[in-house]
Amino acid sequence: MVATAEQKNYTLPIVMMVILFAMIAFVTNLAAPMGIVLKNQFGATNFEGMLGNFANFAAYLFMGIPAGKLIQKIGYKKTALLGIVIGFIGVGIQVLSGSVGSFGVYVLGAFIAGFCMCILNTVVNPMLNTLGGGGNKGNQLIQLGGTLNSLCATIVPMLVGALVGDVTKANITNVYPVMYIAMAIFAVIFIVLYFVNIPEPYATKEVRYERSPWAFRHFVLGAIGIGVYVGLEVGIPGTMILFLSDPNAGNVSAATAGFVGGTYWFLMLIGRFVGATIGSKVSSKAMLSGASAIAFCLVMAAIFSPITSTVSMPVLETNATGALSFGMVQVPINALYLVLCGLCTSVMWGGIFNLAVEGLGKYVAAASGIFMMMVCGGGIFPQIQNAIADATSYMTSYWVPAISFGYLFFYAMFGSKNVNTDIKVD
């Protein structure tokens, strides 16, 4: 398998997988900043404002394992094309929710879009890992895909913030342009992907599975780690945007809150670019342990800093005429600490995935499906965090990310070792 990936030129398939990585971020990261819109238009609480995000990630729980089985039955290309069609429908329903003014229809659209994100994630990650030959090279390709993923993730909250403008007038229809862009991306990539040859490393022969990925301790702990990580990736900026736009907390405009949130994703972009550059030289264990330790310290600093203490940070903002400009804005220092976490979370996905599937051999395809099921943590942990925010305070809710970073440090240092080397994987 590795020899084949090294001998053939898979540049075009790699490019397609990287573009699909970007699509995942574009649609997924629309859900969290939409919480501002839902809070205004429907009078939702912080908890309810994140229900669209929850629905998006809840779909992973139902589709994760079936997506892995789809790959085994119909291959990577057909599975990806199916996911793109489902995504187009899901975003279309979210557009419809603006026309009918229905909170329930919006949540339904987010749920259907989540099925698409799960399917595409199930395709992209093992493909990039395999095309890189596994190990550090596989992690490097995943980091490269994550770079473009972060670029889209940076743009989306900024677009939503700019389109919403005044929080008191926020409406789903304000965000139509972003949704139309998402649907156009789906349509174009469907056409391109249809004519591209994608290697099918797990569909070339009949394989017998005597065990399952659950038999590997390091995979089980890694699957939990993925759920924890996605909860971090979504919960930190999502709750921060709600915190900043709350008149009784951060007290900044929706546009500024969106741009500050976008800065978090921009730092993830930088971090993933660096990760892709050094990924073949630095082990996944070193990346994950170092990043989680630093992030833990940053979150603790945010929790214990007073929200009345402000600092200037560089972001894109709207000027008096409504045009975009680059400048410094005053935000609570807590937000600065949380934004810096983006540098740390940037390299975690590839590191966890790489460590968890190392040594799984023929079980990688099934393992990827289980991984995608665990991505539902991106809906569960932010909901828990925002329930705590409603009951106590925004900063108190960040104990959820703090504990999560502690778990990822444990996994990198101790839980990622394969103690089941006696299981046959070829």
Side-chain angles (χ1 to χ4, degrees):
M1 183 89 55
V2 174
T4 301
E6 292 175 345
Q7 291 166 2
K8 292 186 178 180
N9 185 351
Y10 284 148
T11 302
L12 190 55
I14 289 173
V15 170
M16 292 308 304
M17 292 303 107
V18 170
I19 293 175
L20 287 177
F21 228 136
M23 293 175 64
I24 293 166
F26 197 97
V27 177
T28 300
N29 286 277
L30 176 61
M34 280 294 292
I36 297 175
V37 178
L38 301 177
K39 284 180 68 175
N40 174 74
Q41 187 171 351
F42 301 106
T45 62
N46 290 312
F47 178 86
E48 292 167 341
M50 290 294 284
L51 279 177
N53 177 76
F54 175 79
N56 194 291
F57 283 98
Y60 283 78
L61 182 62
F62 298 97
M63 195 63 202
I65 293 177
K69 291 182 177 179
L70 268 175
I71 291 175
Q72 296 171 12
K73 290 193 179 223
I74 66 175
Y76 280 96
K77 180 175 177 176
K78 291 181 180 178
T79 301
L81 291 173
L82 175 62
I84 291 170
V85 171
I86 294 173
F88 187 91
I89 294 172
V91 177
I93 291 176
Q94 292 179 59
V95 171
L96 177 63
S97 72
S99 300
V100 300
S102 171
F103 182 90
V105 172
Y106 170 77
V107 172
L108 174 64
F111 183 66
I112 293 174
F115 279 95
C116 162
M117 301 305 102
C118 178
I119 292 172
L120 295 184
N121 256 317
T122 309
V123 170
V124 167
N125 288 279
M127 277 299 295
L128 286 177
N129 194 55
T130 299
L131 294 172
N136 288 355
K137 287 288 186 180
N139 180 33
Q140 186 177 32
L141 277 184
I142 295 176
Q143 298 295 349
L144 178 62
T147 301
L148 191 54
N149 179 282
S150 292
L151 176 60
C152 286
T154 300
I155 294 170
V156 171
M158 292 182 176
L159 284 176
V160 173
L163 291 169
V164 168
D166 186 350
V167 177
T168 61
K169 300 177 181 178
N171 191 287
I172 293 176
T173 56
N174 299 145
V175 194
Y176 272 1
V178 179
M179 296 180 179
Y180 291 149
I181 291 172
M183 294 175 73
I185 292 173
F186 277 127
V188 171
I189 300 302
F190 179 92
I191 295 171
V192 175
L193 184 61
Y194 184 84
F195 294 102
V196 171
N197 289 323
I198 299 293
E200 304 287 352
Y202 303 112
T204 56
K205 61 180 181 179
E206 195 70 30
V207 181
R208 285 184 131 190
Y209 299 94
E210 299 84 8
R211 305 290 289 273
S212 81
W214 293 114
F216 297 84
R217 191 198 71 169
H218 74 291
F219 168 74
V220 174
L221 295 177
I224 295 172
I226 279 292
V228 167
Y229 162 71
V230 182
L232 284 166
E233 184 186 75
V234 175
I236 290 176
T239 304
M240 181 180 65
I241 290 173
L242 295 175
F243 160 69
L244 289 174
S245 60
D246 190 328
N248 299 314
N251 194 28
V252 301
S253 70
T256 299
F259 289 131
V260 173
T263 304
Y264 167 93
W265 293 104
F266 178 69
L267 291 183
M268 283 195 69
L269 168 64
I270 295 174
R272 282 176 169 168
F273 179 77
V274 173
T277 303
I278 66 174
S280 61
K281 301 175 183 176
V282 181
S283 71
S284 298
K285 179 178 180 178
M287 273 194 188
L288 183 59
S289 59
S292 56
I294 295 172
F296 176 83
C297 294
L298 288 170
V299 171
M300 294 301 289
I303 291 173
F304 289 106
S305 296
I307 64 173
T308 53
S309 178
T310 61
V311 64
S312 293
M313 65 177 291
V315 296
L316 283 171
E317 58 180 339
T318 51
N319 58 28
T321 63
L324 292 177
S325 61
F326 185 79
M328 306 293 288
V329 297
Q330 286 288 123
V331 296
I333 194 170
N334 320 70
L336 177 61
Y337 291 132
L338 296 173
V339 165
L340 289 174
C341 286
L343 286 170
C344 302
T345 55
S346 62
V347 298
M348 290 183 176
W349 172 277
I352 298 169
F353 186 89
N354 184 261
L355 289 170
V357 302
E358 194 68 27
L360 262 61
K362 64 185 179 183
Y363 297 102
V364 169
S368 181
I370 296 172
F371 250 75
M372 293 309 106
M373 179 183 74
M374 297 303 294
V375 169
C376 68
I380 296 171
F381 287 99
Q383 286 303 119
I384 294 173
Q385 185 177 351
N386 279 277
I388 294 174
D390 283 332
T392 55
S393 69
Y394 287 104
M395 288 305 112
T396 300
S397 76
Y398 275 93
W399 277 103
V400 175
I403 295 170
S404 299
F405 281 127
Y407 174 82
L408 293 181
F409 180 81
F410 157 78
Y411 178 69
M413 295 299 296
F414 310 105
S416 58
K417 182 180 179 180
N418 184 0
V419 297
N420 304 107
T421 54
D422 56 318
I423 300 176
K424 296 181 69 174
V425 297
D426 49 22

